Amino acid sequence: MNLLIGANFKMNKTNTELLEYFQTFTTEYPNTPGVDVMIAPATIGLSKAAEFIENSPIHLGAQNMFSELSGAYTGETSPLMLQDIKCEYVILGHSERRTIFGETDEMVNKKVKTALAHNIRPILCIGENLAQKEEGQTKDILRVQLEKGLAGIEDTTNIDIAYEPVWAIGTGKSATPEYAEEIHMFIREILGQQESRIIYGGSVTEATAHELISKREVNGFLIGSAALDPRRLIKIVEEATR
Ligand code: PGA
């Protein structure tokens, strides 16, 4: 299985900045074998990004998507719109979507099903917050998020899972490789198959990538702030494959 190294730009970068980013990235990235690099710009940048990365090895991802195909859903993006611009991945259930925008496991589950039905590969994000971790509830929380997020889906092999502990996102406090491995093994057990990649997210940098990826069940990363600099993202891919 290829590693999946994903960049989540969140609400950063204008289209002008995206162009600069992709110019640097596509010129300097050596197209490392065995790695799928996915970049998820903000929705408004998706179709421009699709043009910028044409003929490059970069895979395009969206940061979110709605579960309906069209209609009166102000502000939302349909899977048909993503399909139309050849967007291959969609990040679903990111903790910021859950906590700031009130997405529930049920909403995330509908989106995962719709993405699969339209051949867009979902990256389902799960993760415990600090209070839940401190109360020893991590595995219970993850089990519920996984079971509800994947409810009614018989074949989960075209889904990747991003384990992103909320306490590690944007805090500079990454999980240790040992902790990530323990949790990823737990997730693998629940999934019951080997095809999905289980990637880690939360303050991944070029300094932590190598050690984290040395764990067998860490199959890639979802990266926020460190990926906003194209050269740092290239460095992370280098560290993950050396
Ligand atoms: P971070 O974000 O790398 O800035 O911690 C990761 C994410 O939210 O996907």
Side-chain angles (χ1 to χ4, degrees):
M1 127 195 350
N2 275 5
L3 295 177
L4 171 60
I5 301 203
N8 174 9
F9 283 178
K10 310 192 180 183
M11 198 174 70
N12 293 293
K13 296 202 186 289
T14 62
N15 282 359
T16 312
E17 291 165 335
L18 277 184
L19 175 59
E20 276 170 35
Y21 187 99
F22 286 120
Q23 273 170 344
T24 306
F25 193 89
T26 51
T27 313
E28 298 184 18
Y29 176 59
N31 191 12
T32 312
V35 180
D36 294 336
V37 172
M38 185 277 305
I39 296 184
T43 309
I44 199 165
L46 279 171
S47 54
K48 274 282 176 213
E51 289 170 23
F52 299 153
I53 65 174
E54 225 181 347
N55 305 319
S56 87
I58 304 170
H59 301 270
L60 188 61
Q63 297 175 17
N64 183 29
M65 183 201 82
F66 196 49
S67 45
E68 298 296 326
L69 304 189
S70 65
Y73 303 104
T74 301
E76 293 295 327
T77 306
S78 146
L80 301 178
M81 297 166 187
L82 297 183
Q83 253 187 344
D84 185 51
I85 58 162
K86 302 191 173 53
C87 182
E88 296 173 71
Y89 287 84
V90 62
I91 300 169
L92 294 174
H94 189 280
S95 68
E96 286 149 21
R97 298 290 327 163
R98 293 176 190 261
T99 55
I100 306 172
F101 301 101
E103 283 194 20
T104 62
D105 287 317
E106 289 71 21
M107 290 160 77
V108 174
N109 176 246
K110 278 192 190 163
K111 293 179 180 196
V112 173
K113 286 177 175 161
T114 308
L116 286 174
H118 292 83
N119 293 320
I120 304 168
R121 192 174 175 99
I123 301 173
L124 171 62
C125 300
I126 58 172
E128 82 284 9
N129 65 30
L130 186 59
Q132 291 161 340
K133 178 173 190 267
E134 284 174 348
E135 281 160 30
Q137 297 171 348
T138 298
K139 289 184 177 171
D140 295 339
I141 295 288
L142 297 177
R143 181 186 292 281
V144 169
Q145 287 179 339
L146 264 182
E147 287 178 354
K148 289 191 172 174
L150 299 174
I153 300 170
E154 275 175 25
D155 180 4
T156 56
T157 54
N158 290 321
I159 302 173
D160 296 311
I161 306 294
Y163 169 56
E164 297 205 296
V166 181
W167 47 266
I169 294 178
T171 59
K173 292 185 197 139
S174 169
T176 62
E178 293 69 32
Y179 185 81
E181 177 73 344
E182 181 195 335
I183 300 296
H184 285 215
M185 281 167 66
F186 172 74
I187 294 170
R188 181 68 72 199
E189 217 178 278
I190 296 177
L191 281 177
Q193 44 90 343
Q194 303 296 320
E195 280 84 357
S196 291
R197 288 168 292 193
I198 304 173
I199 65 176
Y200 169 79
S203 297
V204 174
T205 67
E206 54 277 46
T208 56
H210 182 68
E211 263 201 272
L212 281 163
I213 212 84
S214 68
K215 297 295 177 190
R216 195 168 56 88
E217 287 292 5
V218 177
N219 310 133
F221 300 123
L222 189 56
I223 309 155
S225 49
L228 291 173
D229 174 341
R231 295 193 172 100
R232 289 188 75 190
L233 180 57
I234 291 170
K235 186 78 190 149
I236 290 173
V237 177
E238 260 173 48
E239 287 297 314
T241 48
R242 78 176 157 87

